[in-house]
Amino acid sequence: MASERDTARAIIAAIGGAGNVRGLTHCATRLRFELADATLVDQAAIDANPAVLAGFPRQGDRYQVVIGGDVEDIYHAVMALPGMTDVDADDVETADTGTTTDDVTLDEAVSDTPIPTFTAWRERGARWLTWFFEYLSDSFRPIIGVLLGASIIIAIVNLATAFGMTVGGDDSPGGTFITVMWKGVFYFLPIIVAYNASRKLKVDPWLGAMIMAAFMTPQYTGLMDLPTASCSVDATMGMRSCVVPVFGVPMLVSDYSGNVFVPLLMVLALAGLYHGLRRVVPANMRMVFLPFLSMAVITPLTGFVIGPFGVWLSNGICAALAWLSVHAPFAFAVLLPLIYPFLVPVGLHWPLNALMLMNVQMLGYDFIQGPMAVWNFACFGSTAGVLIVSLREHDKAMRSTALGALTAGLLGGLTEPSLYGIHLRHRLIYRRMLAGCAAGGVVIGVLGLMFPSVTPSGTVVHVVTASAFAFTSLLTIPVFDPMWVYMVSIGVGFTVPMLLIVALDYRTPEERAHMRAADLDADSDDDDTSANDDDAVSDDDAVSDGGGTAKTVETPPAEPVKPGEPVKPAEPIEDGVTLIGSPVPGRTIALDDVDDPVFASRALGEGVGVLPPSDPVSGAETPVIAPVSGILKTVAKTGHAFGIKTDDDIEVLVHIGIGTVKMQGTGFAMMASKGVRVRAGDVLATVDFGRIVESGCNAVTVMTVTNSSRMATVSPVLDVMLQPGDTAIRVER
């Protein structure tokens, strides 16, 4: 067998040599290359390499080589080869299998490769758009928590004021202190956004943050107070800006606090320069000259060009929307909640989130969040309807899912658990939900015309306004004005879909029949398992022999497992046959139904996916047990993947979730380390499946025999509910 170094040499040769590698990372099973020219890859050589399970191109000049459990050793062998020293490398991937948008990089989006056909131009445009919205979402997503925290502080202050309680004005020490508790988040938002955006584009995040921080120093803002400054105030937005001669060249100086357009544009320019410099500056000089040259070029470019353009762009968009809300408030209030249900699933709502922040900063209020909240509560009302139906039908799985999603929505303003956990799985819900969006939109539009809001500047506007960027939950109701108009509107939006779903159901007749049949099968499985009859064979014990017929295998019963408690291991039942237990509880599915092309293609061997028994709620820890006894050959640093090699050379991969590496270990607690011997049933880790779902990842646990080609048969146990340790795969050597 070839050594790891020989395998590494063969892989590098097949992808065009070390000079063709611009970047290399690895996840639990595969090497991920970023190439200078993907056309140089010798696919035949990759396919012929016995150490490689598969090789396939990705978007742009990306290429992935599937290795299996030995990927980390091969990765280090590749990085030790001559010519790989200067290659950008990272042991921790920012994206895992199953995610395609993360594979789109800035370099790919701005590639100057000739595209000769209209179809290719359209595909390139789609790639640009995908990358753009991923750029926006990743620039804001990490700070959602602090934005929510700040909005709740504002809501508490507004609620106290509404009840006549004095919390101190802005001119008092107490009031000033309460103000700074939330205002710091919005004031320094440009620095935070610049940091996140730089990380997204693989630029030193502190470099992006510090360039933006330069424009928030007292020295920069003090330029507006110089005698040579010529200042004016925008009549629409009320924003002061001054033209100041700097080095004899006029510079438009503005207050950038709270602005998100300027840092987003600045980091785009910074990324282009930064990655360009990396290609020409020697590695031993990058620490000094990369930040120096970047600051020397991007800081004045932002001051003279990017900053003024960003202010003009943000002012223009906000003014246009403000004009629409003033001159067509009813149409604005009705259309926005009807559009939102189609924007959120594809990420198109992120630009509107940026505009909300800009409205609060420039106008002192926002007019988008009121109508948007109608959609949010229509979403929550739909979930409430599903919860009532599940209670009526004693559907424990859906009841758990709906209860968790409804709690996250009403208290946290989060629509994703409802949307991805329920609504997109039962598309009939959208009809009921849109009815609620329309009804709530009409109510907020009509009442807004009759009972206008008064802005901090004294302007009367016929829309519901928000005094801060807020997640539209029950906790942030005091942020909105008029509060009672807002409450009536979201109440209508919530109630209409809930009543429609309770009366008309959320499933088609076919879906109802399918779910009832599944429940009957589950009840039958439970009866067979609890019968304790030696002659009875449950569906859990029926496995395919790979030829379309079913065989029966007796498996030892397994009780639910708690952290630290081993379960009875699956043992060979006869010579040459090994039973591999399920690492987690849940229903098994075929790899064809796993939302990942590599697993579905069997490049990592035959196996099963295990779906959690119900859509999980965040906070509940589920133990992940060793499915077999052996040596832990691979342990992902993020805790989402484990590779075990048994004494009889069966290699088993346990991969928890799809795309979970991007969670960077959040929701995972490892209890085993690489190189140790484990017994079947030992707890490898605990996982919060609710966190996985909330992060937008697929919660399926995939288990494969990575060296299936060396086995006589690998037979998965499909479409059955298993407890940890129950047989999931039957292997004949």
Side-chain angles (χ1 to χ4, degrees):
M1 181 178 292
S3 67
E4 293 169 355
R5 186 174 180 84
D6 292 337
T7 299
R9 286 197 187 105
I11 291 173
I12 291 299
I15 64 170
N20 194 34
V21 181
R22 293 169 57 186
L24 173 61
T25 56
H26 76 87
C27 62
T29 57
R30 65 195 82 178
L31 299 172
R32 300 185 174 210
F33 289 94
E34 182 180 349
L35 304 177
D37 185 358
T39 63
L40 299 180
V41 175
D42 186 345
Q43 187 66 43
I46 291 289
D47 294 339
N49 192 329
V52 174
L53 299 177
F56 52 93
R58 302 295 285 175
Q59 292 174 321
D61 287 320
R62 295 286 182 115
Y63 192 85
Q64 295 188 4
V65 178
V66 183
I67 301 296
D70 295 331
V71 65
E72 186 174 355
D73 295 333
I74 299 299
Y75 167 81
H76 290 299
V78 169
M79 294 305 300
L81 294 176
M84 295 295 294
T85 306
D86 295 334
V87 171
D88 293 337
D90 189 353
D91 285 341
V92 180
E93 266 276 87
T94 57
D96 196 9
T97 60
T99 57
T100 57
T101 55
D102 284 348
D103 288 335
V104 183
T105 65
L106 176 64
D107 291 336
E108 294 169 0
V110 300
S111 171
D112 57 0
T113 304
I115 302 179
T117 65
F118 172 77
T119 300
W121 275 106
R122 183 176 60 188
E123 291 176 353
R124 184 181 183 186
R127 189 171 65 183
W128 262 93
L129 191 63
T130 298
W131 174 86
F132 173 71
F133 287 116
E134 190 70 22
Y135 173 59
L136 282 178
S137 65
D138 283 355
S139 297
F140 285 101
R141 188 181 293 119
I143 59 173
I144 290 298
V146 294
L147 291 174
L148 175 59
S151 68
I152 292 178
I153 294 175
I154 297 171
I156 293 173
V157 172
N158 289 349
L159 183 63
T161 303
F163 281 95
M165 299 173 60
T166 302
V167 293
D170 289 342
D171 56 346
S172 70
T176 300
F177 184 75
I178 291 176
T179 300
V180 301
M181 286 175 64
W182 61 264
K183 194 166 187 177
V185 176
F186 298 99
Y187 184 86
F188 293 108
L189 193 60
I191 299 176
I192 303 172
V193 170
Y195 181 92
N196 291 332
S198 298
R199 287 192 63 184
K200 172 64 179 176
L201 301 188
K202 298 182 180 180
V203 174
D204 180 358
W206 289 112
L207 180 59
M210 290 303 101
I211 291 177
M212 198 64 235
F215 295 94
M216 304 188 69
T217 58
Q219 288 77 10
Y220 174 79
T221 56
L223 293 175
M224 292 189 285
D225 299 325
L226 294 177
T228 55
S230 175
C231 301
S232 61
V233 178
D234 185 275
T236 303
M237 308 305 296
M239 183 176 181
R240 179 177 179 237
S241 59
C242 303
V243 177
V244 181
V246 177
F247 301 119
V249 180
M251 174 188 289
L252 182 65
V253 179
S254 303
D255 181 3
Y256 291 141
S257 61
N259 194 299
V260 295
F261 284 82
V262 173
L264 289 170
L265 295 173
M266 181 272 292
V267 171
L268 288 175
L270 173 63
L273 176 66
Y274 186 87
H275 291 296
L277 290 173
R278 283 185 64 89
R279 297 188 180 98
V280 298
V281 175
N284 59 350
M285 302 177 67
R286 288 176 183 171
M287 180 175 290
V288 175
F289 285 97
L290 246 63
F292 163 67
L293 293 174
S294 297
M295 295 172 71
V297 174
I298 299 300
T299 304
L301 182 64
T302 302
F304 285 101
V305 180
I306 297 175
F309 176 75
V311 170
W312 172 83
L313 180 64
S314 57
N315 284 354
I317 295 176
C318 293
L321 287 176
W323 182 92
L324 183 63
S325 68
V326 170
H327 292 83
F330 180 78
F332 184 83
V334 174
L335 291 177
L336 196 64
L338 287 172
I339 294 173
Y340 244 92
F342 303 99
L343 299 181
V344 175
V346 293
L348 297 180
H349 63 299
W350 285 103
L352 288 176
N353 288 346
L355 291 174
M356 295 172 197
L357 290 164
M358 292 304 305
N359 286 336
V360 173
Q361 171 64 21
M362 296 182 178
L363 300 174
Y365 68 94
D366 173 59
F367 47 83
I368 298 176
Q369 294 175 78
M372 181 207 70
V374 170
W375 124 256
N376 272 20
F377 277 87
C379 175
F380 306 150
S382 301
T383 304
V386 172
L387 176 61
I388 294 173
V389 172
S390 67
L391 289 171
R392 185 174 64 197
E393 298 184 356
H394 306 288
D395 185 344
K396 295 181 180 179
M398 183 56 75
R399 181 184 64 191
S400 176
T401 300
L403 182 60
L406 185 60
T407 303
L410 293 179
L411 299 182
L414 302 175
T415 59
E416 285 79 1
S418 294
L419 195 64
Y420 295 108
I422 304 173
H423 300 180
L424 293 177
R425 293 165 51 191
H426 302 280
R427 298 302 180 92
L428 195 60
I429 293 178
Y430 255 63
R431 300 181 187 178
R432 324 296 196 217
M433 185 169 60
L434 287 174
C437 291
V442 169
V443 170
I444 200 171
V446 171
L447 293 181
L449 291 174
M450 298 172 61
F451 304 96
S453 172
V454 179
T455 69
S457 63
T459 305
V460 176
V461 291
H462 294 278
V463 291
V464 171
T465 60
S467 58
F469 180 83
F471 283 67
T472 48
S473 68
L474 294 177
L475 300 179
T476 57
I477 288 177
V479 169
F480 295 87
D481 181 64
M483 190 189 305
W484 75 269
V485 172
Y486 175 76
M487 293 176 65
V488 171
S489 303
I490 63 175
V492 171
F494 182 91
T495 304
V496 168
M498 180 184 70
L499 294 179
L500 288 174
I501 288 175
V502 170
L504 303 176
D505 210 320
Y506 63 95
R507 300 156 296 184
T508 64
E510 294 80 9
E511 287 176 336
R512 286 199 300 271
H514 178 76
M515 292 179 70
R516 286 169 183 165
D519 290 341
L520 290 174
D521 289 343
D523 292 340
S524 176
D525 289 347
D526 292 340
D527 292 341
D528 289 342
T529 303
S530 61
N532 230 359
D533 187 348
D534 292 338
D535 295 330
V537 180
S538 71
D539 288 344
D540 288 3
D541 296 326
V543 296
S544 170
D545 64 356
T549 60
K551 296 183 179 180
T552 59
V553 180
E554 293 184 2
T555 60
E559 297 296 329
V561 47
K562 298 179 180 179
E565 291 185 0
V567 300
K568 185 176 180 180
E571 299 291 346
I573 60 172
E574 59 187 39
D575 290 341
V577 179
T578 300
L579 299 180
I580 300 176
S582 176
V584 293
R587 181 168 291 275
T588 57
I589 61 173
L591 293 184
D592 295 322
D593 298 324
V594 174
D595 188 19
D596 182 88
V598 175
F599 286 122
S601 69
R602 273 63 174 186
L604 291 171
E606 182 61 87
V608 296
V610 184
L611 293 172
S614 62
D615 286 338
V617 178
S618 180
E621 292 186 349
T622 299
V624 180
I625 68 167
V628 290
S629 300
I631 301 296
L632 273 174
K633 300 290 290 184
T634 304
V635 176
K637 294 180 179 179
T638 52
H640 75 287
F642 298 86
I644 303 174
K645 187 173 184 179
T646 68
D647 292 339
D648 48 358
D649 292 330
I650 298 176
E651 298 175 1
V652 180
L653 170 68
V654 177
H655 197 286
I656 309 167
I658 302 297
T660 45
V661 72
K662 70 181 181 183
M663 296 174 65
Q664 295 296 303
T666 302
F668 296 86
M670 287 193 294
M671 297 186 179
S673 57
K674 181 180 177 181
V676 303
R677 174 173 289 277
V678 294
R679 296 178 302 167
D682 288 349
V683 178
L684 302 177
T686 61
V687 58
D688 186 342
F689 282 112
R691 282 280 190 93
I692 292 178
V693 174
E694 290 177 0
S695 299
C697 301
N698 191 327
V700 64
T701 295
V702 182
M703 183 171 65
T704 66
V705 177
T706 57
N707 58 346
S708 293
S709 60
R710 303 175 190 173
M711 305 295 123
T713 61
V714 178
S715 304
V717 179
L718 299 178
D719 197 27
V720 294
M721 184 65 70
L722 301 180
Q723 290 294 330
D726 286 351
T727 300
I729 302 175
R730 182 174 183 268
V731 179
E732 297 184 31
R733 293 186 295 278

